């Protein structure tokens, strides 16, 4: 099952997918194809046929557009605190610990293995300000086989960043970011660029204008992806307006940081003008519905963004979001869109309290978590089509630890997929492939 387009679920029954040596999908044969039977027999004879059972289904690898890798040890902690307290008391002290590579080695393999076990074949990571630990995260993803986009975090504003955890100045941050780009691209075994570097200003409030301008120049020089937080909350959005007299989106554009390869996390408070600017640049948005519920004071207007033809995918926002599962992100995306549509304050009349037409459904969320996220990254993944990389998740419907009994009663394929999105647990994810290579298997984990 896959959704190359948002408007329809495509189901490939009894289909043969041929994968070449580079992990690309080389052929897709239906039972009606003239060479189907011969190809099937040849694959069986050569011992290269992986045959699914009637109680399994396959979906494209899930794409997580926003993960704070160093925050993995604080997953689910202190989410009752205001964002500033959460950052100052938990997050910044934790991220500062990654100057110790031994600590990083304890954390990063656990994170990557867990995401793979949850079916996340592609992740876009914020790392820390530490070059060595950022390179270690990249090497870990490469060793474990996860497709990854990784950025050394740049943050130099002494008024907004703690003294113990920030870049000394803009020049130092730019130089370290450039070295990190080279280090990731030169990683042994990264010839196919499975892991890519990302220019990563934490967000405008943590960066001086000099740093933001320098990172914009770096983006053009090295043709890199860019990731940052954008108009996440009332505080951030208003801070930028007061400091620069313009929105996050306009400011990022003026600094050269809004490009076809830019991923803007959250973007809850962007205006119609901002949306037009993002669309014209070709940049994309990482919608993080779960963490927005804790820290953003708002719900991202997803339906409006899609109607304006913005490229949007989903993110877990670990650890602002307490779940490592992109299926949970699908669930939350649907739920918060309903809340936005109906409103939540019962003191306001039903005809006035919500935003009409804001809801999305589980199929649209599934598209965003697969093909949508891949499109934001311009990644050749997200669906089962010839020429794309074979990133896939094999779902076992009848695991003793979590039998999805609902599948026996599904009236159609959409019902079956709905069951998987809402009820599948990591134990149901039998195997995970990235670029044709099996990188996670429940039976051997």
């Amino acid at each position: 099952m896959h959704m190359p387009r948002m408007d329809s679920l495509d189901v490939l029954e009894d289909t043969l997918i041929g994968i070449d040596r580079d992990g690309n999908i080389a052929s897709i044969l239906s039972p009606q194809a003239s060479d189907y039977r011969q190809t099937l027999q040849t694959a069986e004879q050569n011992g290269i046929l992986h045959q699914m059972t009637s109680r399994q289904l396959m979906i494209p690898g899930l794409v997580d557009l926003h993960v704070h890798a160093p925050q993995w040890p604080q997953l689910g902690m202190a989410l009752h605190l205001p964002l500033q307290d959460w950052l100052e008391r938990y997050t910044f002290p934790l991220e500062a610990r990654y100057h110790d590579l031994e600590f990083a080695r304890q954390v990063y393999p656990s994170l990557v293995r867990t995401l793979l076990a949850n079916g996340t074949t592609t992740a876009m990571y914020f790392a820390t300000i530490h070059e060595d630990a950022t390179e270690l995260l990249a090497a870990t993803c490469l060793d474990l086989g996860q497709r990854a986009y990784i950025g050394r975090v740049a943050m130099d504003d002494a008024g907004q960043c703690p003294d113990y955890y920030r870049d000394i100045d803009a020049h130092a941050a730019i130089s370290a970011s450039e070295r990190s780009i080279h280090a990731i691209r030169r990683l042994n075994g990264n010839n196919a660029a499975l892991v890519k570097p990302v220019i990563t200003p934490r967000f405008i409030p943590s960066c001086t204008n000099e740093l933001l301008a320098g990172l914009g120049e770096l983006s053009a020089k090295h043709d890199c992806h860019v990731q940052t937080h954008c108009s996440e909350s009332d505080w951030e959005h208003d801070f930028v307006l007061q400091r620069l007299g313009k929105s996050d989106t306009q400011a990022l554009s003026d600094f050269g940081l809004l490009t076809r390869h830019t991923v803007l996390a959250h973007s809850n408070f962007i205006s119609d003008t901002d949306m037009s600017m993002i669309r014209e640049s070709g940049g994309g948005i990482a919608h993080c519905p779960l963490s927005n519920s804790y820290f953003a004071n708002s719900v991202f207007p997803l339906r409006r963004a899609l109607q304006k033809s913005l490229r949007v995918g989903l993110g877990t926002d670990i650890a602002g979001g307490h779940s490592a599962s992109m299926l949970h992100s699908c669930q939350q995306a649907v739920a918060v869109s309903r809340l936005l549509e109906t409103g939540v304050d019962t003191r306001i009349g039903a005809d006035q309290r919500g935003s009409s037409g804001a809801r999305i459904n589980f199929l649209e969320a599934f598209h965003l978590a697969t093909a949508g996220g891949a499109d934001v990254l311009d990644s050749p993944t997200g669906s089962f089509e010839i020429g794309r990389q074979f990133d896939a998740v094999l779902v076992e419907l009848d695991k003793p630890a979590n039998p999805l009994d609902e599948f026996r009663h599904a009236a159609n394929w959409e019902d079956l997929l709905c069951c998987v999105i809402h009820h599948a647990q990591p134990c149901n994810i039998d195997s995970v492939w990235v670029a044709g290579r099996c990188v996670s298997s429940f039976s051997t984990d």
Side-chain angles (χ1 to χ4, degrees), residues 22 67 76-77 125 135 180 195 205 207 218 266 273 348 360 364:
D22 296 321
V67 183
M77 292 183 187
Y125 291 110
E135 185 176 350
S180 182
V195 179
C207 301
L218 207 60
H266 306 294
T273 300
I348 301 173
I360 68 163
E364 292 166 321

Side-chain angles (χ1 to χ4, degrees), residues 19-170:
I19 306 162
D20 68 19
R21 294 180 183 274
D22 296 321
N24 299 305
I25 296 176
S27 62
I28 300 176
L29 299 177
S30 70
Q32 292 73 40
S34 59
D35 53 346
Y36 177 90
R37 187 62 55 188
Q38 181 59 52
T39 303
L40 176 63
Q41 291 175 352
T42 301
E44 285 179 317
Q45 291 168 0
N46 292 335
I48 59 172
L49 180 67
H50 186 110
Q51 191 162 358
M52 295 165 57
T53 73
S54 61
R55 296 184 178 183
Q56 293 176 328
L57 64 86
M58 185 173 284
I59 60 174
L62 301 167
V63 179
D64 190 337
L65 289 181
H66 189 49
V67 183
H68 288 273
Q71 295 175 19
W72 180 238
Q74 73 180 79
L75 189 72
M77 292 183 187
L79 294 174
H80 61 289
L81 295 176
L83 177 59
Q84 196 64 26
D85 292 345
W86 185 78
L87 289 171
E88 291 179 357
R89 291 169 54 184
Y90 285 81
T91 303
F92 289 152
L94 173 60
E95 292 193 13
R97 293 185 64 186
Y98 287 81
H99 72 88
D100 178 0
L101 276 180
E102 286 307 312
F103 179 71
R105 288 190 183 98
Q106 294 172 29
V107 174
Y108 286 152
S110 169
L111 166 66
V112 175
R113 286 193 179 99
T114 301
L115 291 184
L116 286 171
N118 277 275
T120 299
T121 55
T122 298
M124 193 170 209
Y125 291 110
F126 276 56
T128 62
I129 67 172
H130 311 100
E131 294 177 61
D132 289 346
T134 299
E135 185 176 350
L136 176 65
L137 173 61
T140 300
C141 292
L142 189 61
D143 289 345
L144 296 177
Q146 186 180 52
R147 194 179 302 277
Y149 297 73
I150 295 172
R152 175 207 171 268
V153 172
M155 43 192 286
D156 73 326
D157 192 311
Q160 294 297 319
C161 306
D163 290 340
Y164 65 85
Y165 185 59
R166 64 178 172 88
D167 291 302
I168 297 173
D169 56 31

Side-chain angles (χ1 to χ4, degrees), residues 363-435:
L363 288 172
E364 292 166 321
F366 176 69
H367 168 84
L368 295 177
T370 53
D375 179 51
V376 168
L377 296 171
D378 285 325
S379 173
T381 62
S383 60
F384 301 125
E385 298 176 292
I386 292 176
R388 290 190 171 269
Q389 290 262 285
F390 185 74
D391 288 14
V393 178
L394 185 64
V395 180
E396 176 64 64
L397 300 170
D398 211 13
K399 278 283 187 181
N402 185 42
L404 300 179
D405 291 331
E406 297 85 353
F407 88 88
R408 306 175 196 278
H409 309 291
N412 51 49
W413 293 120
E414 290 186 3
D415 286 352
L416 180 56
L417 180 59
C418 187
C419 163
V420 168
I421 290 174
H422 288 102
H423 301 299
Q425 299 296 321
C427 65
N428 296 109
I429 295 177
D430 183 88
S431 300
V432 178
W433 289 267
V434 174

Side-chain angles (χ1 to χ4, degrees), residues 195-237:
V195 179
K196 298 179 184 293
V198 184
I199 292 169
T200 308
R202 191 177 198 107
F203 62 167
I204 290 176
S206 69
C207 301
T208 61
N209 291 359
E210 182 183 359
L211 174 55
L212 293 166
L215 292 176
E217 293 173 2
L218 207 60
S219 169
K221 178 181 178 181
H222 291 289
D223 191 27
C224 268
H225 281 78
V226 175
Q227 62 179 342
T228 191
H229 300 85
C230 175
S231 294
E232 178 179 1
S233 63
D234 285 301
W235 176 83
E236 181 195 349
H237 186 68

